[in-house]
Structures are given as structure tokens and as C-alpha cells.
Amino acid sequence: MGSKIANLLQTCIDKKSIIAGKVLHAYILRTNLLTDTFLCNRLIELYSKCNDQTSAYRTFDQTPQKDIYSWNAILSCHCKAGNLTFARQVFEKMPERNVVSWNNLISLMLKNGYQEKALDVYGLMVLEGFLPTHVTFASVLSACGSVLDLQLGKRCHGLAIKIGLDKNIFVCNGLLSVYAKCGVMREAAKVFGDIHEPNEVSFTTMMGGLGNIHGVFEALEMFRIMHRKRVRMDSVSLSAVLNVCAKGGEYGEFGCYEENDRFLYNVVLGEQVHGLSVKLGFECDLFLSNSLLDMYAKNGIMKSAETVFHNLGKVSVVSWNIMIAGYGQKGKSEKAVEVLQRMQYCGFEPDEVTYINMLAACVKCGDVEAARQMFDSMSCPSVISWNAIISVYSQTENHKEAIELFREMQSQTVKPDRTTVAIILGSCAGMDFLDGGKQVHAASIKAALHTDSYVASGLIGMYSKCGKINMAKCIFSYAPELDIVCWNSMIAGLTLNSLDKEAFMLFKQMRQGRMLPTEFSYATVLSCCAKLSSSFQGRQVHSQIVKDGYENDVFVGTALVGMYRKCGDIDGAQKYFDMMPVRNIVTWNEMIHGYAQNGRGDEAVRLYQDMIASGEKPDGITFIAVLTACSHSGLVDLGVRIFNSMQSNYGLEPKLDHYTCIIDCLSRAGRFHDAELLMNKMPYKDDPIVWEVLLSSCRVHGNISLAQQAAKELFRLDPESSVPYVLLANIYSSLGRWEDVRAVRELMSDKQIVKDPGYSWTEDREQDTSLFVG
């Protein structure tokens, strides 16, 4: 009879039929079967499954002979209801426990967001001699991934192998999650390769992990394999691949991928996934729809994003935020504001992400004032919002305002995080505000943030830029963990302080330590080679760049052009310039400057014209380069036309360097009258550099009267400089006026002016050439 009732109860449990279950409960009470612990356990399980916790607790209390299954049933009931306090009380009272008891408690702690406490409970479980099951590992590995505890994840991996659970799909997926979230994709790939039949969770986890470490193309290839193997796809896996496609758009923002097949592959595949999601009937899934929105928005395809948005059956705040971020990324702040107004009109309350996205949109358009108004409208900004507005001022080099905001943030008792500290250290560096940087350093130590690699990198940069390179070296040496950003900061700091040989050797040390260089690493070390005039070492670096696959990166390519042209190999610079798939304004400037410095003015001007024809807008540095080329090659009339076009065609106000270039151009050609007229009109007539340029040209043309006037101005403006004395003496000597030469030298002696010594530079090729590993 008891077994028949047990079977009926199991049917009620399976169908969640509480009415029939209560009828059976009444029958059990009437026939005095309550002494049957097995039936009581089934009743507790039924009430728990049907969310009737009160009946479950009453049944448990009325069970005369409770066994471990009774305790586990009521513990499971508390866990299902999310009652962590009661669950812990039950757990503590249990006369005996098994692995199910521990699994229930660990799982409940995870659901309540207590990942670290869940891991502590797991530690106690193992300490008491209980062997984990696949359920235990699934929960514990999930917690390890959440708190990025890679070491415990590896220990779990070892234990899973020891007890024979390393082939279980739940354990494997848990391990994949830990390794992917911790960025250890090599280990994740090993686990994935050992899975006999990876499921959609396995593929989804791998795609997410590869996308997070910028392995966008590899992640998309993983999706292709998943599709080819006909692994079932759900909305989560489709969302994962869309997120990867969106990341391709993020990287394209920097100009590296717009003309690249991989970028096009991202967009085309994103559109194909869109079609597949419709085919599989997921078009109403809000989570997947938001991923589609995000993919189109981050790739800048706002027309498609608008279409998806308008076709959404249900819209969330996340959907509106993605649209605002998309327009902000494209620099269309007016459209972002329009979306915000539509959002509020439709009854949606903006959240913090909304305001942060609006801040970013204002920044993209350079509208700092609008960004500040947006921030001031926030009633209680969190640390993320504070970081966003402080970053706005820091990025626009309004460092004083950034520091003032940081002080205001502290006065409002908002605790800064690692991002805040790094931003403020950047502002202190930008102002050469060493005392402020030291105060931030002290505050970071107090908040135990100084050991964070992100903060350490900021400290290294701040001390380096403030000229305290030994302090930067000290922080680098004692940092507990050095990531690539710290290495890059230290190398950049050394080269900033003219310690280029040390910087180069540190780069070599980084390579020997198997730390993979980034684009910034290569751009910095190429700058070292350029300053050392070492084309030999520069070519070694170039070879490694090709090997590591960075030759198409616009920043690395620009640094290569700069290195070759500064080392005098203008043809090498031109060869690489012609090969570059993408160029920016800095690349063009480097090449034009290269021609200018090597006396190839016609080619410099031709390249300048090619740049304008390509649609690239020249900046102030472009004009310095092309005017220098005109000056060195005697292209006077062309130089004057280009100088005049700065303001008339491009709205650029000429600076001191531009005036210096054009005055040098006129003076070299002997057109001193035009040069004097320009000097009388310009706002920099009291700058000694302009007079030095004029005096130097007077020597070439033997213009004694103007030379004496220029020298007189220089004696007044820069009395400690030896330059006017030397130039004037050289002019007199070239004309055979030796008495005047003697008078100038006596004047130098009387005023104790010493001529600066000259020097030469040669490249030593007999040095260590084994710079790279692997």
C-alpha cells in the first residue's frame, strides 16, 4: 500500500498537482501512515515543488522519524525559497550531512550573490572528507569564475581529474567558464579539446572568452565550427556570437579595421546571425534583440539598429541605452539627446548607464559643457559616473577641473576605485603636479589600491612625467604583479626621460619573460630606436612586428615610418608607407616631415597634396612639415600660398612654429623685406627663435645691417644664449671684418658667455643582437 501511495505522490510531484497531493496527505494522516518517513519526505518534496513552504515546514515538524533525506528535503525547500538564514540554521542542526546537503547550501549562497562564502563552505566540505560531485563542481567553478579565483579553479580541475569527473560535461563547462573569465584561453582550449561532445554552453563560453581577449576572429571561427557540427543553438549562444561581432566594431573605432576583411566579416556574420535568429523564432527574445541592437550600434550601422529597435515587441531601459550609446559613438550627440527624450516620453526612467552613455556622447562631440550639465542633473552619482565626468576633463586636458572634481567626490564620501586613482594620476602627470601625485599615491596605499597593476601603471606614468624616474623604477620593481600595461608605462617613462638604451633593454627583458608586446609596446620601442638613430635595432623590431602580426596596425605602422625617416632611411619609410592599408594624420605628417628633413621638398609637397586629395584634413603639424619642406627646397611662393591657406581654407590660426618656418623660407631666399613685414604683423615678434632664424639667413646673404638688428634683439631677449654672438662673429669673419669678430668675442668673454659644444652620433652595430625570444 505504501509503495502505491509513494508512486501516486511522485506523479503529483512531477505534475506539480498540489490538490491531489493534499488528498493523499489527508489519506496518510487518516490511515496512520505518517510513521513512514519515506512518504513524509515525498510530501515535503511535493510542497516544496509547489512553492507551499508553510505546508512543507509543518510536514517536516510532524515527521516522527526524520532521516537525512528529510533534512535534505526541508533544506532544499528553504533553498528553493531563497531563505539563506533559515537554510543555514537547518544545515547547522542536521544530525548528519551528505554531499547533497553541502551542494544545496553552496548553490543557495551563489544564488544570493555570496560567491566567496560559497567557496568557504566548499573548503569546509572538502576538509570534512566529502568528495565533490559534478553538481558541486558546477556551483564551485561558477563561483570561481565570478570572483576570478584562478588558483582554486585549477585545484578543482586537479581534483576532478583525480576522482574521474574531468570528462563530465557540467564540470568541463564549469572549467571553461573559469579559464575564460580569467583570460587563460590556452587552458580553456585544452579543456575544450578534451570534451567528447561539446554542447551549446561549451561553444558559448569559448566564444565569450575569446572575444574578451580580443580574439574576435577566433571566436567567430568557433561559431562557424558550432554551426557546422549542428550543435543546438539557443538565444544565449546567438547573443554570445553577436557580442563578439560587436567587439569587432569597438576595435574598428581606432582605425585599424575599417578597411580590413575581418571587420567586414564581423558585420556580415552579424547580419547572418540576425537572419538565423528570425529563422529559429527568437525575434521576440528581448535579450537576443538587445544583443542585435548592440552589434549594429557598435559597428556604427545605426539605420539597421533603428529598424531592430522599432520592431521590438517589448523595449527595456537596456534597449534605449544601447541606442544612445550607438549615436554617441558616432559623435551624434543631438540624436542621442533625441533618443533620451523619446525614452522619457515613453515612460522609461533613465538609469545610471543612460547618463554615462550621454556623457560619452557629449565627450565624443567635444561638448564638455553639455557633459557637465548631464552629470550635474544626476541626483546621486555613483563612482562610475564620477569616473566618467572626471575622465571627460582629463581627456580634454582640463586637468585642474578634473582634480577639483576628485576633491568634490571625496567630500561627498564617494569612495574612489582603481579607475578613479588612475585617471587622477594621469591629470597630475599632465599638470606636472608632483605634490598632488604624491598625495594620490598616499591615498592609494591607504585604500590598499597601490598593489593593483592598473594603479601601479598610473603611478609609474605620473612619476616618469614629473621627472622622478627613480621613483617610477622603484614602483615597477616592487609591484607584486606586472601586466603589459605596467611594462609599457615603464618603457615609455624611460624614453620620456631620455633613457632610451635602458628602455630598449627593458623591452628585451619583457620579451625574454614571455610577455607579449602590444601595439603601444612596439610604437614606444620604435621611438627609442629613432632617438638612438639605430636603424639596425629598428629593423630587428620591424621583423618581430611582422612575426607577431602587427604590421597592419596604424599606430605601429606610423611608428615604423617615423623610425625609418628619423634614422635617415627615407626610402625605407616610403616603402613601408606605401604598404600601409590604413593611415591617419600622424602617418601622413611623419612621411611629409621625412621628405622635408631630407631636402626632398617637391616630394613632400606632392605628398601633402595627395593627403588632401584623400580627404584627410591637415593639422598644425602638417603645415610645419610642409612649410619646412618649402623652406629647405627654395619653394618660396608655394610656401607662402600654403601658409596663407592655413586660416583661409582650414581655419587654423598660425602658431610660432608656422611663422618661424615661413620667415625661414623667405629669409633663405633673400626676401628680407617680406620677412620683416610678416614679423611686424605676427604676435610672436618677441620670441628669440624667429630672430635666430633671421640672423642665420643674414649670414648666407651677407646682410650686415639686418644681422646687427637681429643680434641686438637677441641680446635683449635671451642674454645668456651664445647663438647670436657666434652667428654674428661668423658673418663678420665671412666678410673679412676681423676687428668686428674680435669685438664680438671680447663681448662674449666680458659677459662670460660660453659656446655650447657640438657632438656627433654614430651607431654601434657591435652590440647584443639577440633581442628577441621565440
Side-chain angles (χ1 to χ4, degrees), residues 646-672:
M646 278 186 70
Q647 200 163 26
S648 60
N649 294 357
Y650 302 103
L652 294 171
E653 191 70 36
K655 303 293 183 188
L656 171 63
D657 289 336
H658 303 112
Y659 280 108
T660 303
C661 288
I662 194 62
I663 287 167
D664 184 48
C665 186
L666 292 166
S667 302
R668 279 172 184 255
R671 291 169 58 170
F672 292 110

PDB file of all heavy atoms in Angstrom, residues 646-672:
ATOM      1  N   MET A 646      46.306  78.171 -44.481  1.00  0.00           N
ATOM      2  CA  MET A 646      46.029  77.617 -43.136  1.00  0.00           C
ATOM      3  C   MET A 646      44.737  78.165 -42.566  1.00  0.00           C
ATOM      4  O   MET A 646      43.852  77.425 -42.142  1.00  0.00           O
ATOM      5  CB  MET A 646      47.179  77.956 -42.173  1.00  0.00           C
ATOM      6  CG  MET A 646      48.368  77.058 -42.240  1.00  0.00           C
ATOM      7  SD  MET A 646      49.559  77.470 -40.950  1.00  0.00           S
ATOM      8  CE  MET A 646      48.668  76.934 -39.490  1.00  0.00           C
ATOM      9  N   GLN A 647      44.643  79.509 -42.579  1.00  0.00           N
ATOM     10  CA  GLN A 647      43.473  80.135 -41.976  1.00  0.00           C
ATOM     11  C   GLN A 647      42.304  80.215 -42.952  1.00  0.00           C
ATOM     12  O   GLN A 647      41.161  79.934 -42.590  1.00  0.00           O
ATOM     13  CB  GLN A 647      43.841  81.532 -41.487  1.00  0.00           C
ATOM     14  CG  GLN A 647      42.878  82.089 -40.448  1.00  0.00           C
ATOM     15  CD  GLN A 647      43.480  83.264 -39.708  1.00  0.00           C
ATOM     16  OE1 GLN A 647      44.345  83.967 -40.225  1.00  0.00           O
ATOM     17  NE2 GLN A 647      43.038  83.491 -38.483  1.00  0.00           N
ATOM     18  N   SER A 648      42.593  80.546 -44.202  1.00  0.00           N
ATOM     19  CA  SER A 648      41.515  80.751 -45.172  1.00  0.00           C
ATOM     20  C   SER A 648      40.799  79.451 -45.527  1.00  0.00           C
ATOM     21  O   SER A 648      39.570  79.421 -45.674  1.00  0.00           O
ATOM     22  CB  SER A 648      42.065  81.415 -46.437  1.00  0.00           C
ATOM     23  OG  SER A 648      43.067  80.588 -47.018  1.00  0.00           O
ATOM     24  N   ASN A 649      41.553  78.345 -45.674  1.00  0.00           N
ATOM     25  CA  ASN A 649      40.951  77.078 -46.116  1.00  0.00           C
ATOM     26  C   ASN A 649      40.622  76.121 -44.975  1.00  0.00           C
ATOM     27  O   ASN A 649      39.688  75.322 -45.081  1.00  0.00           O
ATOM     28  CB  ASN A 649      41.884  76.352 -47.089  1.00  0.00           C
ATOM     29  CG  ASN A 649      42.051  77.104 -48.397  1.00  0.00           C
ATOM     30  OD1 ASN A 649      41.420  78.143 -48.603  1.00  0.00           O
ATOM     31  ND2 ASN A 649      42.910  76.620 -49.278  1.00  0.00           N
ATOM     32  N   TYR A 650      41.410  76.192 -43.894  1.00  0.00           N
ATOM     33  CA  TYR A 650      41.257  75.176 -42.841  1.00  0.00           C
ATOM     34  C   TYR A 650      40.966  75.761 -41.455  1.00  0.00           C
ATOM     35  O   TYR A 650      40.831  75.021 -40.497  1.00  0.00           O
ATOM     36  CB  TYR A 650      42.514  74.293 -42.777  1.00  0.00           C
ATOM     37  CG  TYR A 650      42.793  73.616 -44.104  1.00  0.00           C
ATOM     38  CD1 TYR A 650      43.802  74.081 -44.942  1.00  0.00           C
ATOM     39  CD2 TYR A 650      42.007  72.553 -44.541  1.00  0.00           C
ATOM     40  CE1 TYR A 650      44.046  73.486 -46.176  1.00  0.00           C
ATOM     41  CE2 TYR A 650      42.241  71.947 -45.770  1.00  0.00           C
ATOM     42  CZ  TYR A 650      43.258  72.420 -46.581  1.00  0.00           C
ATOM     43  OH  TYR A 650      43.477  71.825 -47.797  1.00  0.00           O
ATOM     44  N   GLY A 651      40.861  77.061 -41.357  1.00  0.00           N
ATOM     45  CA  GLY A 651      40.501  77.694 -40.091  1.00  0.00           C
ATOM     46  C   GLY A 651      41.518  77.507 -38.980  1.00  0.00           C
ATOM     47  O   GLY A 651      41.168  77.548 -37.799  1.00  0.00           O
ATOM     48  N   LEU A 652      42.800  77.332 -39.353  1.00  0.00           N
ATOM     49  CA  LEU A 652      43.862  77.132 -38.355  1.00  0.00           C
ATOM     50  C   LEU A 652      44.646  78.424 -38.164  1.00  0.00           C
ATOM     51  O   LEU A 652      45.171  78.991 -39.132  1.00  0.00           O
ATOM     52  CB  LEU A 652      44.812  76.011 -38.789  1.00  0.00           C
ATOM     53  CG  LEU A 652      44.242  74.597 -38.850  1.00  0.00           C
ATOM     54  CD1 LEU A 652      45.245  73.650 -39.500  1.00  0.00           C
ATOM     55  CD2 LEU A 652      43.875  74.101 -37.454  1.00  0.00           C
ATOM     56  N   GLU A 653      44.712  78.894 -36.935  1.00  0.00           N
ATOM     57  CA  GLU A 653      45.484  80.098 -36.628  1.00  0.00           C
ATOM     58  C   GLU A 653      46.967  79.741 -36.589  1.00  0.00           C
ATOM     59  O   GLU A 653      47.370  78.855 -35.845  1.00  0.00           O
ATOM     60  CB  GLU A 653      45.046  80.646 -35.263  1.00  0.00           C
ATOM     61  CG  GLU A 653      45.581  82.028 -34.943  1.00  0.00           C
ATOM     62  CD  GLU A 653      44.956  83.123 -35.797  1.00  0.00           C
ATOM     63  OE1 GLU A 653      43.746  83.021 -36.111  1.00  0.00           O
ATOM     64  OE2 GLU A 653      45.694  84.052 -36.152  1.00  0.00           O
ATOM     65  N   PRO A 654      47.819  80.413 -37.378  1.00  0.00           N
ATOM     66  CA  PRO A 654      49.257  80.084 -37.359  1.00  0.00           C
ATOM     67  C   PRO A 654      49.877  80.308 -35.987  1.00  0.00           C
ATOM     68  O   PRO A 654      49.607  81.311 -35.321  1.00  0.00           O
ATOM     69  CB  PRO A 654      49.854  81.047 -38.394  1.00  0.00           C
ATOM     70  CG  PRO A 654      48.719  81.462 -39.258  1.00  0.00           C
ATOM     71  CD  PRO A 654      47.511  81.456 -38.376  1.00  0.00           C
ATOM     72  N   LYS A 655      50.704  79.351 -35.569  1.00  0.00           N
ATOM     73  CA  LYS A 655      51.418  79.443 -34.292  1.00  0.00           C
ATOM     74  C   LYS A 655      52.863  79.881 -34.554  1.00  0.00           C
ATOM     75  O   LYS A 655      53.271  80.106 -35.693  1.00  0.00           O
ATOM     76  CB  LYS A 655      51.402  78.084 -33.577  1.00  0.00           C
ATOM     77  CG  LYS A 655      50.019  77.516 -33.332  1.00  0.00           C
ATOM     78  CD  LYS A 655      49.241  78.336 -32.337  1.00  0.00           C
ATOM     79  CE  LYS A 655      47.871  77.717 -32.052  1.00  0.00           C
ATOM     80  NZ  LYS A 655      47.018  78.585 -31.235  1.00  0.00           N
ATOM     81  N   LEU A 656      53.644  79.973 -33.467  1.00  0.00           N
ATOM     82  CA  LEU A 656      55.032  80.408 -33.572  1.00  0.00           C
ATOM     83  C   LEU A 656      55.824  79.570 -34.573  1.00  0.00           C
ATOM     84  O   LEU A 656      56.565  80.103 -35.403  1.00  0.00           O
ATOM     85  CB  LEU A 656      55.695  80.348 -32.188  1.00  0.00           C
ATOM     86  CG  LEU A 656      57.209  80.572 -32.160  1.00  0.00           C
ATOM     87  CD1 LEU A 656      57.561  81.979 -32.643  1.00  0.00           C
ATOM     88  CD2 LEU A 656      57.754  80.332 -30.753  1.00  0.00           C
ATOM     89  N   ASP A 657      55.647  78.232 -34.508  1.00  0.00           N
ATOM     90  CA  ASP A 657      56.415  77.350 -35.396  1.00  0.00           C
ATOM     91  C   ASP A 657      56.102  77.605 -36.867  1.00  0.00           C
ATOM     92  O   ASP A 657      56.984  77.504 -37.733  1.00  0.00           O
ATOM     93  CB  ASP A 657      56.137  75.879 -35.054  1.00  0.00           C
ATOM     94  CG  ASP A 657      56.756  75.464 -33.734  1.00  0.00           C
ATOM     95  OD1 ASP A 657      57.728  76.112 -33.312  1.00  0.00           O
ATOM     96  OD2 ASP A 657      56.274  74.496 -33.122  1.00  0.00           O
ATOM     97  N   HIS A 658      54.847  77.945 -37.165  1.00  0.00           N
ATOM     98  CA  HIS A 658      54.472  78.217 -38.554  1.00  0.00           C
ATOM     99  C   HIS A 658      55.111  79.525 -39.039  1.00  0.00           C
ATOM    100  O   HIS A 658      55.620  79.601 -40.169  1.00  0.00           O
ATOM    101  CB  HIS A 658      52.948  78.284 -38.690  1.00  0.00           C
ATOM    102  CG  HIS A 658      52.257  77.042 -38.217  1.00  0.00           C
ATOM    103  ND1 HIS A 658      51.454  77.019 -37.100  1.00  0.00           N
ATOM    104  CD2 HIS A 658      52.283  75.765 -38.687  1.00  0.00           C
ATOM    105  CE1 HIS A 658      50.998  75.798 -36.917  1.00  0.00           C
ATOM    106  NE2 HIS A 658      51.482  75.018 -37.858  1.00  0.00           N
ATOM    107  N   TYR A 659      55.079  80.551 -38.174  1.00  0.00           N
ATOM    108  CA  TYR A 659      55.724  81.818 -38.527  1.00  0.00           C
ATOM    109  C   TYR A 659      57.225  81.623 -38.709  1.00  0.00           C
ATOM    110  O   TYR A 659      57.835  82.179 -39.627  1.00  0.00           O
ATOM    111  CB  TYR A 659      55.451  82.873 -37.454  1.00  0.00           C
ATOM    112  CG  TYR A 659      54.086  83.516 -37.557  1.00  0.00           C
ATOM    113  CD1 TYR A 659      53.079  83.229 -36.648  1.00  0.00           C
ATOM    114  CD2 TYR A 659      53.810  84.435 -38.583  1.00  0.00           C
ATOM    115  CE1 TYR A 659      51.830  83.817 -36.741  1.00  0.00           C
ATOM    116  CE2 TYR A 659      52.558  85.039 -38.685  1.00  0.00           C
ATOM    117  CZ  TYR A 659      51.575  84.721 -37.766  1.00  0.00           C
ATOM    118  OH  TYR A 659      50.345  85.321 -37.878  1.00  0.00           O
ATOM    119  N   THR A 660      57.816  80.815 -37.829  1.00  0.00           N
ATOM    120  CA  THR A 660      59.257  80.556 -37.923  1.00  0.00           C
ATOM    121  C   THR A 660      59.603  79.912 -39.256  1.00  0.00           C
ATOM    122  O   THR A 660      60.577  80.281 -39.918  1.00  0.00           O
ATOM    123  CB  THR A 660      59.709  79.644 -36.767  1.00  0.00           C
ATOM    124  OG1 THR A 660      59.375  80.248 -35.526  1.00  0.00           O
ATOM    125  CG2 THR A 660      61.203  79.404 -36.812  1.00  0.00           C
ATOM    126  N   CYS A 661      58.768  78.922 -39.663  1.00  0.00           N
ATOM    127  CA  CYS A 661      59.016  78.211 -40.933  1.00  0.00           C
ATOM    128  C   CYS A 661      58.925  79.163 -42.129  1.00  0.00           C
ATOM    129  O   CYS A 661      59.790  79.141 -43.026  1.00  0.00           O
ATOM    130  CB  CYS A 661      58.023  77.082 -41.110  1.00  0.00           C
ATOM    131  SG  CYS A 661      58.302  75.674 -40.034  1.00  0.00           S
ATOM    132  N   ILE A 662      57.889  79.985 -42.174  1.00  0.00           N
ATOM    133  CA  ILE A 662      57.700  80.834 -43.353  1.00  0.00           C
ATOM    134  C   ILE A 662      58.717  81.969 -43.383  1.00  0.00           C
ATOM    135  O   ILE A 662      59.206  82.376 -44.455  1.00  0.00           O
ATOM    136  CB  ILE A 662      56.243  81.372 -43.442  1.00  0.00           C
ATOM    137  CG1 ILE A 662      55.960  81.964 -44.824  1.00  0.00           C
ATOM    138  CG2 ILE A 662      55.955  82.365 -42.340  1.00  0.00           C
ATOM    139  CD1 ILE A 662      56.066  80.976 -45.960  1.00  0.00           C
ATOM    140  N   ILE A 663      59.112  82.482 -42.213  1.00  0.00           N
ATOM    141  CA  ILE A 663      60.155  83.518 -42.164  1.00  0.00           C
ATOM    142  C   ILE A 663      61.498  82.926 -42.592  1.00  0.00           C
ATOM    143  O   ILE A 663      62.281  83.553 -43.305  1.00  0.00           O
ATOM    144  CB  ILE A 663      60.225  84.148 -40.752  1.00  0.00           C
ATOM    145  CG1 ILE A 663      59.003  85.057 -40.552  1.00  0.00           C
ATOM    146  CG2 ILE A 663      61.519  84.935 -40.540  1.00  0.00           C
ATOM    147  CD1 ILE A 663      58.774  85.480 -39.128  1.00  0.00           C
ATOM    148  N   ASP A 664      61.745  81.681 -42.168  1.00  0.00           N
ATOM    149  CA  ASP A 664      62.966  80.985 -42.612  1.00  0.00           C
ATOM    150  C   ASP A 664      62.947  80.810 -44.131  1.00  0.00           C
ATOM    151  O   ASP A 664      63.974  80.997 -44.812  1.00  0.00           O
ATOM    152  CB  ASP A 664      63.042  79.626 -41.914  1.00  0.00           C
ATOM    153  CG  ASP A 664      64.325  78.875 -42.249  1.00  0.00           C
ATOM    154  OD1 ASP A 664      65.404  79.493 -42.160  1.00  0.00           O
ATOM    155  OD2 ASP A 664      64.247  77.688 -42.584  1.00  0.00           O
ATOM    156  N   CYS A 665      61.778  80.470 -44.662  1.00  0.00           N
ATOM    157  CA  CYS A 665      61.621  80.261 -46.106  1.00  0.00           C
ATOM    158  C   CYS A 665      61.925  81.564 -46.871  1.00  0.00           C
ATOM    159  O   CYS A 665      62.680  81.575 -47.852  1.00  0.00           O
ATOM    160  CB  CYS A 665      60.208  79.784 -46.389  1.00  0.00           C
ATOM    161  SG  CYS A 665      59.901  79.323 -48.096  1.00  0.00           S
ATOM    162  N   LEU A 666      61.356  82.686 -46.410  1.00  0.00           N
ATOM    163  CA  LEU A 666      61.560  83.980 -47.062  1.00  0.00           C
ATOM    164  C   LEU A 666      63.011  84.450 -46.923  1.00  0.00           C
ATOM    165  O   LEU A 666      63.617  84.952 -47.875  1.00  0.00           O
ATOM    166  CB  LEU A 666      60.608  85.017 -46.453  1.00  0.00           C
ATOM    167  CG  LEU A 666      59.111  84.830 -46.744  1.00  0.00           C
ATOM    168  CD1 LEU A 666      58.269  85.698 -45.822  1.00  0.00           C
ATOM    169  CD2 LEU A 666      58.804  85.153 -48.217  1.00  0.00           C
ATOM    170  N   SER A 667      63.568  84.263 -45.722  1.00  0.00           N
ATOM    171  CA  SER A 667      64.931  84.751 -45.447  1.00  0.00           C
ATOM    172  C   SER A 667      65.962  83.968 -46.242  1.00  0.00           C
ATOM    173  O   SER A 667      66.927  84.534 -46.761  1.00  0.00           O
ATOM    174  CB  SER A 667      65.240  84.632 -43.952  1.00  0.00           C
ATOM    175  OG  SER A 667      64.313  85.354 -43.188  1.00  0.00           O
ATOM    176  N   ARG A 668      65.793  82.658 -46.336  1.00  0.00           N
ATOM    177  CA  ARG A 668      66.743  81.832 -47.109  1.00  0.00           C
ATOM    178  C   ARG A 668      66.789  82.285 -48.570  1.00  0.00           C
ATOM    179  O   ARG A 668      67.829  82.200 -49.229  1.00  0.00           O
ATOM    180  CB  ARG A 668      66.321  80.363 -47.065  1.00  0.00           C
ATOM    181  CG  ARG A 668      66.715  79.622 -45.802  1.00  0.00           C
ATOM    182  CD  ARG A 668      66.068  78.243 -45.797  1.00  0.00           C
ATOM    183  NE  ARG A 668      66.335  77.513 -44.568  1.00  0.00           N
ATOM    184  CZ  ARG A 668      67.203  76.500 -44.474  1.00  0.00           C
ATOM    185  NH1 ARG A 668      67.892  76.125 -45.528  1.00  0.00           N
ATOM    186  NH2 ARG A 668      67.377  75.877 -43.319  1.00  0.00           N
ATOM    187  N   ALA A 669      65.629  82.755 -49.046  1.00  0.00           N
ATOM    188  CA  ALA A 669      65.563  83.216 -50.450  1.00  0.00           C
ATOM    189  C   ALA A 669      65.996  84.675 -50.586  1.00  0.00           C
ATOM    190  O   ALA A 669      65.942  85.238 -51.695  1.00  0.00           O
ATOM    191  CB  ALA A 669      64.145  83.038 -50.970  1.00  0.00           C
ATOM    192  N   GLY A 670      66.384  85.305 -49.467  1.00  0.00           N
ATOM    193  CA  GLY A 670      66.835  86.701 -49.510  1.00  0.00           C
ATOM    194  C   GLY A 670      65.699  87.699 -49.548  1.00  0.00           C
ATOM    195  O   GLY A 670      65.926  88.896 -49.776  1.00  0.00           O
ATOM    196  N   ARG A 671      64.491  87.267 -49.286  1.00  0.00           N
ATOM    197  CA  ARG A 671      63.342  88.181 -49.316  1.00  0.00           C
ATOM    198  C   ARG A 671      63.110  88.736 -47.906  1.00  0.00           C
ATOM    199  O   ARG A 671      62.112  88.486 -47.243  1.00  0.00           O
ATOM    200  CB  ARG A 671      62.113  87.441 -49.850  1.00  0.00           C
ATOM    201  CG  ARG A 671      62.254  87.109 -51.335  1.00  0.00           C
ATOM    202  CD  ARG A 671      61.207  86.152 -51.861  1.00  0.00           C
ATOM    203  NE  ARG A 671      59.839  86.602 -51.687  1.00  0.00           N
ATOM    204  CZ  ARG A 671      58.782  86.010 -52.251  1.00  0.00           C
ATOM    205  NH1 ARG A 671      58.982  84.965 -53.066  1.00  0.00           N
ATOM    206  NH2 ARG A 671      57.565  86.448 -52.033  1.00  0.00           N
ATOM    207  N   PHE A 672      64.111  89.553 -47.481  1.00  0.00           N
ATOM    208  CA  PHE A 672      64.105  90.052 -46.108  1.00  0.00           C
ATOM    209  C   PHE A 672      63.001  91.086 -45.872  1.00  0.00           C
ATOM    210  O   PHE A 672      62.465  91.187 -44.772  1.00  0.00           O
ATOM    211  CB  PHE A 672      65.473  90.665 -45.763  1.00  0.00           C
ATOM    212  CG  PHE A 672      66.558  89.641 -45.683  1.00  0.00           C
ATOM    213  CD1 PHE A 672      67.559  89.596 -46.650  1.00  0.00           C
ATOM    214  CD2 PHE A 672      66.597  88.724 -44.646  1.00  0.00           C
ATOM    215  CE1 PHE A 672      68.566  88.644 -46.591  1.00  0.00           C
ATOM    216  CE2 PHE A 672      67.604  87.776 -44.569  1.00  0.00           C
ATOM    217  CZ  PHE A 672      68.583  87.727 -45.544  1.00  0.00           C
TER     218      PHE A 672
END
